[in-house]
Coordinates of all heavy atoms in Angstrom, one line a residue:
L88 N -92.9 -6.3 24.1 CA -92.2 -7.3 24.9 C -92.8 -7.6 26.2 O -93.0 -8.7 26.7 CB -90.8 -6.8 25.1 CG -89.8 -7.0 23.8 CD1 -88.6 -6.3 24.1 CD2 -89.6 -8.5 23.5
L89 N -93.3 -6.5 27.0 CA -93.9 -6.7 28.3 C -95.1 -7.5 28.1 O -95.5 -8.3 29.0 CB -94.2 -5.3 28.9 CG -93.0 -4.4 29.2 CD1 -93.4 -3.0 29.7 CD2 -92.1 -5.2 30.4
A90 N -95.9 -7.3 27.1 CA -97.2 -7.9 26.8 C -97.0 -9.4 26.5 O -97.8 -10.2 26.8 CB -98.1 -7.3 25.7
A91 N -95.8 -9.7 25.9 CA -95.5 -11.1 25.7 C -94.8 -11.8 26.9 O -94.5 -12.9 26.8 CB -94.4 -11.2 24.6
G92 N -94.6 -11.1 28.2 CA -94.2 -11.7 29.4 C -92.9 -11.5 29.7 O -92.4 -12.0 30.6
A93 N -92.2 -10.5 29.0 CA -90.8 -10.2 29.5 C -90.6 -9.6 30.9 O -91.7 -8.9 31.3 CB -90.2 -9.1 28.3
G94 N -89.7 -10.0 31.6 CA -89.3 -9.5 32.9 C -88.0 -9.3 33.1 O -87.2 -9.3 32.2
R95 N -87.6 -9.1 34.4 CA -86.1 -8.8 34.7 C -85.3 -10.0 34.4 O -84.1 -9.9 34.3 CB -86.0 -8.4 36.2 CG -86.6 -7.0 36.4 CD -86.3 -6.5 37.9 NE -86.9 -5.3 38.1 CZ -86.2 -4.2 37.9 NH1 -85.1 -4.2 37.3 NH2 -86.9 -3.0 38.1
D96 N -85.9 -11.3 34.4 CA -85.2 -12.4 34.1 C -85.1 -12.8 32.6 O -84.7 -13.8 32.2 CB -85.6 -13.5 34.9 CG -87.1 -13.9 34.6 OD1 -87.8 -13.0 33.9 OD2 -87.8 -14.9 35.0
T97 N -85.6 -11.8 31.7 CA -85.6 -12.2 30.4 C -84.2 -12.2 29.7 O -83.4 -11.5 30.0 CB -86.5 -11.1 29.7 OG1 -87.8 -11.2 30.0 CG2 -86.4 -11.2 28.1
V98 N -84.1 -13.2 28.8 CA -82.9 -13.3 28.0 C -83.5 -12.9 26.5 O -84.4 -13.6 26.1 CB -82.3 -14.7 27.8 CG1 -81.2 -14.7 26.9 CG2 -81.8 -15.0 29.2
L99 N -83.0 -11.7 26.0 CA -83.5 -11.4 24.6 C -82.7 -11.9 23.6 O -81.4 -11.7 23.6 CB -83.6 -9.9 24.6 CG -84.2 -9.2 23.3 CD1 -85.6 -9.6 23.3 CD2 -84.0 -7.7 23.4
L100 N -83.2 -12.7 22.6 CA -82.4 -13.2 21.6 C -82.7 -12.4 20.3 O -83.8 -12.4 19.9 CB -82.8 -14.8 21.2 CG -82.3 -15.7 22.3 CD1 -83.3 -15.9 23.4 CD2 -82.2 -17.2 21.6
A101 N -81.8 -11.8 19.8 CA -81.9 -10.9 18.6 C -81.4 -11.7 17.4 O -80.4 -12.0 17.1 CB -81.0 -9.6 18.7
V102 N -82.4 -12.0 16.6 CA -82.2 -12.8 15.3 C -82.4 -12.1 14.1 O -83.6 -11.8 13.7 CB -83.2 -14.1 15.5 CG1 -82.8 -15.0 14.3 CG2 -82.9 -14.8 16.8
G103 N -81.4 -11.7 13.4 CA -81.6 -10.9 12.1 C -80.3 -10.4 11.6 O -79.3 -10.7 12.1
G104 N -80.5 -9.3 10.8 CA -79.4 -8.6 10.3 C -79.0 -7.4 11.1 O -79.3 -7.4 12.2
P105 N -78.2 -6.4 10.6 CA -77.7 -5.4 11.3 C -78.7 -4.6 12.1 O -78.5 -4.2 13.2 CB -76.9 -4.6 10.2 CG -76.5 -5.5 9.2 CD -77.7 -6.4 9.1
D106 N -79.9 -4.3 11.4 CA -80.9 -3.5 12.1 C -81.4 -4.2 13.4 O -81.6 -3.5 14.4 CB -82.0 -3.1 11.2 CG -81.5 -2.2 10.1 OD1 -80.5 -1.5 10.2 OD2 -82.2 -2.1 9.0
V107 N -81.7 -5.4 13.2 CA -82.3 -6.2 14.4 C -81.1 -6.3 15.4 O -81.5 -6.3 16.6 CB -82.8 -7.6 14.0 CG1 -83.1 -8.3 15.2 CG2 -83.9 -7.4 13.0
A108 N -79.8 -6.6 15.1 CA -78.7 -6.6 16.0 C -78.7 -5.3 16.8 O -78.5 -5.4 18.1 CB -77.5 -7.0 15.4
N109 N -78.8 -4.3 16.2 CA -78.7 -3.0 16.8 C -79.9 -2.7 17.8 O -79.7 -2.3 18.9 CB -78.7 -1.8 15.8 CG -77.3 -1.2 15.7 OD1 -76.6 -0.9 16.6 ND2 -77.0 -0.8 14.4
L110 N -81.1 -3.1 17.2 CA -82.3 -2.9 18.1 C -82.3 -3.7 19.2 O -82.7 -3.4 20.4 CB -83.5 -3.1 17.2 CG -84.9 -3.1 17.9 CD1 -85.1 -1.6 18.6 CD2 -86.0 -3.4 16.9
G111 N -81.9 -5.1 19.1 CA -81.9 -6.0 20.2 C -80.9 -5.4 21.2 O -81.3 -5.5 22.5
G112 N -79.7 -5.0 20.8 CA -78.8 -4.5 21.9 C -79.4 -3.3 22.6 O -79.3 -3.2 23.9
L113 N -80.0 -2.3 21.9 CA -80.6 -1.3 22.4 C -81.7 -1.5 23.5 O -81.8 -1.0 24.6 CB -81.1 -0.3 21.3 CG -81.7 1.1 21.8 CD1 -80.6 1.9 22.6 CD2 -82.1 1.9 20.5
L114 N -82.6 -2.4 23.0 CA -83.8 -2.9 23.9 C -83.2 -3.6 25.1 O -83.6 -3.4 26.2 CB -84.7 -3.8 23.2 CG -85.8 -3.2 22.4 CD1 -86.4 -4.2 21.5 CD2 -86.8 -2.6 23.3
A115 N -82.1 -4.4 24.9 CA -81.6 -5.1 26.1 C -80.9 -4.1 27.1 O -81.0 -4.3 28.3 CB -80.5 -6.1 25.6
A116 N -80.5 -3.1 26.5 CA -79.8 -2.0 27.5 C -80.9 -1.3 28.3 O -80.6 -0.9 29.4 CB -78.9 -1.1 26.7
L117 N -82.0 -1.1 27.6 CA -83.0 -0.2 28.2 C -84.2 -0.9 29.1 O -84.6 -0.4 30.1 CB -83.7 0.7 27.1 CG -82.8 1.6 26.3 CD1 -83.6 2.2 25.3 CD2 -82.2 2.6 27.2
L118 N -84.4 -2.1 28.7 CA -85.5 -2.8 29.3 C -85.1 -3.2 30.8 O -84.2 -4.0 31.0 CB -85.8 -4.2 28.5 CG -87.1 -4.8 28.9 CD1 -88.2 -4.0 28.5 CD2 -87.1 -6.2 28.2
F119 N -85.9 -2.8 31.8 CA -85.5 -3.0 33.2 C -84.1 -2.6 33.5 O -83.4 -3.1 34.3 CB -85.7 -4.4 33.6 CG -87.3 -4.8 33.3 CD1 -87.5 -5.7 32.4 CD2 -88.3 -4.3 34.1 CE1 -88.8 -6.2 32.2 CE2 -89.6 -4.7 33.8 CZ -89.8 -5.7 32.9
Q120 N -83.6 -1.4 32.7 CA -82.2 -0.9 33.0 C -81.1 -2.0 32.7 O -80.1 -1.9 33.2 CB -82.0 -0.4 34.4 CG -83.1 0.8 34.8 CD -84.4 0.2 35.1 OE1 -84.5 -0.7 36.1 NE2 -85.3 0.8 34.6
G121 N -81.6 -3.0 31.9 CA -80.5 -3.9 31.4 C -81.0 -5.3 31.6 O -81.2 -5.8 32.7
C122 N -81.2 -6.0 30.5 CA -81.4 -7.4 30.5 C -80.4 -8.2 29.8 O -79.6 -7.7 29.0 CB -82.8 -7.8 30.1 SG -83.3 -7.5 28.4
R123 N -80.5 -9.6 29.8 CA -79.5 -10.4 29.3 C -79.7 -10.5 27.7 O -80.9 -10.5 27.2 CB -79.4 -11.7 29.8 CG -78.8 -11.8 31.2 CD -78.9 -13.1 31.9 NE -80.4 -13.2 32.3 CZ -80.9 -14.3 32.9 NH1 -80.1 -15.3 33.4 NH2 -82.1 -14.4 33.2
L124 N -78.6 -10.5 26.9 CA -78.8 -10.4 25.3 C -77.9 -11.6 24.8 O -76.8 -11.7 25.2 CB -78.3 -9.1 25.0 CG -78.1 -8.9 23.4 CD1 -79.5 -8.8 22.7 CD2 -77.3 -7.6 23.1
V125 N -78.5 -12.3 23.8 CA -77.8 -13.2 23.0 C -78.1 -12.8 21.6 O -79.2 -12.5 21.1 CB -78.4 -14.6 23.2 CG1 -77.8 -15.6 22.1 CG2 -78.0 -15.1 24.6
Q126 N -77.1 -12.6 20.8 CA -77.1 -12.2 19.4 C -77.0 -13.4 18.6 O -76.2 -14.2 18.7 CB -76.0 -11.2 19.0 CG -76.0 -9.9 19.7 CD -77.0 -8.9 18.9 OE1 -77.7 -9.3 18.1 NE2 -76.8 -7.6 19.3
V127 N -77.9 -13.6 17.6 CA -78.0 -14.6 16.6 C -78.2 -14.0 15.2 O -79.1 -13.9 14.7 CB -79.1 -15.7 16.8 CG1 -78.9 -16.8 16.0 CG2 -79.1 -16.1 18.3
P128 N -76.9 -13.5 14.6 CA -77.0 -12.8 13.5 C -77.4 -13.7 12.3 O -76.8 -14.8 12.2 CB -75.6 -12.1 13.3 CG -74.8 -12.6 14.4 CD -75.7 -13.5 15.2
T129 N -78.1 -13.2 11.3 CA -78.5 -14.1 10.2 C -77.9 -13.6 8.9 O -78.1 -14.3 7.8 CB -80.0 -14.0 10.0 OG1 -80.4 -12.6 9.7 CG2 -80.9 -14.5 11.2
T130 N -77.0 -12.6 8.9 CA -76.2 -12.2 7.7 C -74.8 -12.0 8.2 O -74.5 -11.7 9.4 CB -76.7 -10.8 7.3 OG1 -76.5 -9.7 8.2 CG2 -78.2 -10.8 7.0
L131 N -73.9 -12.0 7.1 CA -72.5 -11.8 7.4 C -72.2 -10.4 7.9 O -71.4 -10.2 8.8 CB -71.7 -12.0 6.0 CG -70.1 -11.9 6.1 CD1 -69.6 -12.9 7.1 CD2 -69.6 -12.0 4.8
G132 N -72.9 -9.4 7.3 CA -72.6 -8.1 7.8 C -72.9 -7.9 9.3 O -72.3 -7.2 10.1
A133 N -74.0 -8.4 9.8 CA -74.4 -8.4 11.2 C -73.3 -9.2 12.1 O -73.0 -8.7 13.2 CB -75.8 -9.0 11.4
L134 N -72.9 -10.4 11.6 CA -72.2 -11.1 12.4 C -70.6 -10.4 12.5 O -70.0 -10.6 13.5 CB -71.8 -12.5 11.7 CG -71.1 -13.6 12.5 CD1 -71.3 -13.7 14.0 CD2 -71.1 -15.0 11.6
C135 N -70.3 -9.8 11.5 CA -68.8 -9.3 11.5 C -69.0 -7.8 12.1 O -68.0 -7.1 12.3 CB -68.4 -9.1 10.0 SG -67.8 -10.8 9.4
G136 N -70.1 -7.2 12.3 CA -70.2 -5.8 12.7 C -71.1 -5.6 14.0 O -70.5 -5.8 15.1
P137 N -72.3 -5.2 13.9 CA -73.2 -4.8 15.1 C -73.2 -6.0 16.1 O -73.2 -5.6 17.3 CB -74.5 -4.6 14.5 CG -74.3 -4.3 13.1 CD -73.1 -5.1 12.7
A138 N -73.2 -7.2 15.8 CA -73.3 -8.2 16.9 C -72.0 -8.3 17.7 O -72.1 -8.7 18.8 CB -73.6 -9.6 16.2
L139 N -71.0 -7.8 17.2 CA -69.7 -7.8 17.9 C -69.4 -6.5 18.5 O -68.3 -6.2 18.9 CB -68.5 -8.3 17.0 CG -68.7 -9.6 16.4 CD1 -67.5 -10.0 15.6 CD2 -68.8 -10.7 17.7
S140 N -70.3 -5.6 18.6 CA -70.1 -4.2 19.1 C -70.9 -4.1 20.5 O -71.9 -4.7 20.6 CB -70.6 -3.2 18.2 OG -70.4 -1.8 18.6
L141 N -70.4 -3.2 21.3 CA -71.2 -2.9 22.5 C -72.0 -1.6 22.2 O -73.0 -1.3 23.1 CB -70.3 -2.6 23.6 CG -69.3 -3.5 24.0 CD1 -68.6 -3.2 25.3 CD2 -69.9 -4.9 24.2
R142 N -72.0 -1.1 21.0 CA -72.8 0.3 20.7 C -73.9 -0.2 20.0 O -73.9 -0.8 18.9 CB -71.8 1.2 20.0 CG -72.5 2.5 19.6 CD -71.5 3.4 19.0 NE -70.6 2.9 18.1 CZ -70.8 3.0 16.7 NH1 -71.9 3.7 16.4 NH2 -70.0 2.5 15.9
H143 N -75.1 0.3 20.4 CA -76.4 0.1 19.7 C -77.1 1.3 19.6 O -77.3 1.9 20.6 CB -77.2 -1.1 20.5 CG -76.4 -2.2 20.9 ND1 -75.9 -3.1 20.0 CD2 -75.8 -2.5 22.2 CE1 -75.1 -4.0 20.8 NE2 -75.1 -3.7 22.0
T144 N -77.7 1.5 18.3 CA -78.4 2.9 18.1 C -79.6 2.7 17.3 O -79.9 1.5 16.7 CB -77.4 3.8 17.3 OG1 -77.3 3.1 16.0 CG2 -76.1 4.0 17.9
V145 N -80.5 3.7 17.3 CA -81.6 3.6 16.5 C -81.1 4.0 15.0 O -80.0 4.3 14.7 CB -82.7 4.7 16.8 CG1 -83.4 4.3 18.2 CG2 -82.2 6.1 16.9
A146 N -82.0 3.8 14.0 CA -81.5 3.9 12.7 C -80.8 5.2 12.4 O -79.8 5.1 11.5 CB -82.7 3.7 11.6
S147 N -81.2 6.3 12.9 CA -80.6 7.6 12.5 C -79.2 7.7 13.2 O -78.3 8.4 12.7 CB -81.4 8.8 13.2 OG -81.4 8.6 14.6
G148 N -78.9 6.9 14.2 CA -77.5 7.0 14.9 C -77.5 7.9 16.0 O -76.5 8.0 16.6
V149 N -78.4 8.8 16.0 CA -78.5 9.8 17.1 C -78.5 9.4 18.5 O -77.9 9.8 19.4 CB -79.6 11.0 16.7 CG1 -79.5 12.0 17.8 CG2 -79.3 11.5 15.4
L150 N -79.5 8.4 18.8 CA -79.6 7.8 20.1 C -79.2 6.4 20.2 O -79.4 5.7 19.2 CB -81.2 8.0 20.4 CG -81.8 9.4 20.4 CD1 -83.2 9.2 20.5 CD2 -81.2 10.2 21.5
G151 N -78.5 6.0 21.4 CA -78.1 4.7 21.5 C -77.7 4.5 22.9 O -77.9 5.3 23.8
A152 N -77.2 3.3 23.1 CA -76.8 2.9 24.4 C -75.6 1.8 24.2 O -75.4 1.3 23.2 CB -78.0 2.3 25.2
W153 N -75.1 1.4 25.4 CA -74.0 0.5 25.4 C -74.4 -0.7 26.2 O -74.8 -0.7 27.3 CB -72.7 1.1 25.9 CG -72.2 2.3 25.4 CD1 -72.7 3.7 25.6 CD2 -71.3 2.5 24.2 NE1 -72.1 4.4 24.8 CE2 -71.3 3.8 24.0 CE3 -70.6 1.5 23.4 CZ2 -70.5 4.2 22.9 CZ3 -69.9 2.1 22.5 CH2 -69.8 3.4 22.1
H154 N -74.3 -1.9 25.5 CA -74.6 -3.1 26.3 C -73.8 -4.3 25.6 O -73.7 -4.4 24.3 CB -76.1 -3.3 26.1 CG -76.7 -4.4 27.0 ND1 -76.8 -4.1 28.3 CD2 -77.2 -5.6 26.8 CE1 -77.3 -5.1 28.9 NE2 -77.7 -6.1 28.0
A155 N -73.5 -5.3 26.5 CA -72.7 -6.3 25.9 C -73.5 -7.6 25.8 O -74.3 -8.0 26.8 CB -71.4 -6.7 26.9
P156 N -73.5 -8.5 24.8 CA -74.1 -9.7 24.7 C -73.4 -10.6 25.5 O -72.2 -10.7 25.7 CB -74.2 -10.0 23.1 CG -72.9 -9.4 22.7 CD -72.7 -8.0 23.5
Q157 N -74.2 -11.6 26.1 CA -73.6 -12.8 26.8 C -72.9 -13.7 25.8 O -72.0 -14.4 26.2 CB -74.6 -13.4 27.7 CG -75.0 -12.5 28.8 CD -75.5 -13.2 30.0 OE1 -75.9 -14.5 30.0 NE2 -75.4 -12.5 31.3
L158 N -73.6 -13.8 24.6 CA -73.1 -14.8 23.6 C -73.5 -14.2 22.4 O -74.5 -13.7 22.1 CB -73.9 -16.1 23.8 CG -73.6 -17.2 22.8 CD1 -72.3 -17.7 22.8 CD2 -74.7 -18.4 23.0
V159 N -72.6 -14.5 21.2 CA -72.9 -14.2 19.9 C -72.7 -15.6 19.1 O -71.6 -16.2 19.1 CB -72.0 -13.3 19.3 CG1 -72.3 -13.0 17.8 CG2 -72.0 -11.9 20.0
L160 N -73.9 -16.0 18.6 CA -73.9 -17.3 17.9 C -74.0 -17.1 16.4 O -75.0 -16.7 16.0 CB -74.9 -18.3 18.5 CG -75.1 -19.5 17.5 CD1 -73.9 -20.5 17.7 CD2 -76.4 -20.2 17.9
G161 N -73.0 -17.4 15.7 CA -72.9 -17.3 14.3 C -73.4 -18.8 13.7 O -72.5 -19.5 13.7

Side-chain angles (χ1 to χ4, degrees):
L88 285 169
L89 293 176
R95 291 186 180 275
D96 58 349
T97 288
V98 177
L99 188 63
L100 286 84
V102 184
D106 290 342
V107 173
N109 253 322
L110 176 58
L113 185 55
L114 271 168
L117 298 176
L118 194 66
F119 300 111
Q120 299 81 53
C122 70
R123 291 169 291 184
L124 171 68
V125 172
Q126 292 276 15
V127 187
T129 61
T130 67
L131 181 65
L134 181 53
C135 292
L139 297 179
S140 176
L141 306 188
R142 177 168 57 94
H143 312 287
T144 67
V145 294
S147 68
V149 176
L150 300 171
W153 304 90
H154 196 69
Q157 293 206 337
L158 172 69
V159 178
L160 172 66

